[in-house]
Amino acid sequence: AGAKDDTFNVLDLAEYTKNRPWWRKIFAPSSGSSAEKYNVATQLVIGGVTGWCTGFIFQKVGKLAATAVGGGFFLLQIANHTGYIKVDWNLVQRDMNKAKQQLKFHSSGNKMPPEVKSRVDEV
């Protein structure tokens, strides 16, 4: 029916990897763990750089979040002081007294039955 072609092309992997860009050599998917792919110095450098970048990003995000929360609290205090917000201090005092009573109830071990206390301790 037809003649079979028994010729094969040879691929030299050493030449193939020399022509690849450096980022493909570092980040290319390969089998095995990262401990097998990179030497210790490379792993330390990659870990140090990613750790520094992560810390830098979380530092900036943390400052932004703290500024937003603090600024919001500051604006609420200004709005309360100038009269834009009216706080019902009697309601606040009543809620605080309820919370104190609940804390006293939960902190005293004599008022709770032992089965409830054991469940609370488990939780």
Side-chain angles (χ1 to χ4, degrees):
K4 289 187 176 181
D5 189 12
D6 288 338
T7 60
F8 297 101
N9 292 331
V10 177
L11 177 62
D12 186 7
L13 292 178
E15 288 298 321
Y16 177 72
T17 56
K18 285 181 186 175
N19 296 331
R20 294 178 71 194
W22 65 268
W23 62 85
R24 289 237 175 125
K25 291 178 186 175
I26 292 176
F27 298 112
S30 67
S31 63
S33 67
S34 63
E36 295 171 356
K37 289 195 295 189
Y38 306 116
N39 61 14
V40 175
T42 305
Q43 290 180 23
L44 286 174
V45 168
I46 290 173
V49 169
T50 56
W52 185 85
C53 290
T54 303
F56 182 79
I57 289 170
F58 274 99
Q59 179 185 17
K60 296 299 180 185
V61 170
K63 283 183 182 179
L64 180 67
T67 303
V69 169
F73 181 72
F74 183 70
L75 287 175
L76 284 174
Q77 289 297 327
I78 289 175
N80 181 30
H81 184 71
T82 55
Y84 286 108
I85 297 175
K86 298 288 183 190
V87 177
D88 186 1
W89 290 109
N90 292 328
L91 180 63
V92 171
Q93 187 66 32
R94 190 176 69 218
D95 288 343
M96 291 299 292
N97 288 334
K98 277 186 195 177
K100 285 180 187 176
Q101 291 299 324
Q102 288 179 352
L103 283 175
K104 285 180 186 176
F105 175 74
H106 288 301
S107 64
S108 65
N110 299 338
K111 294 183 180 180
M112 280 193 276
E115 59 271 357
V116 174
K117 187 172 180 197
S118 66
R119 291 288 182 188
V120 170
D121 289 339
E122 286 178 20
V123 172

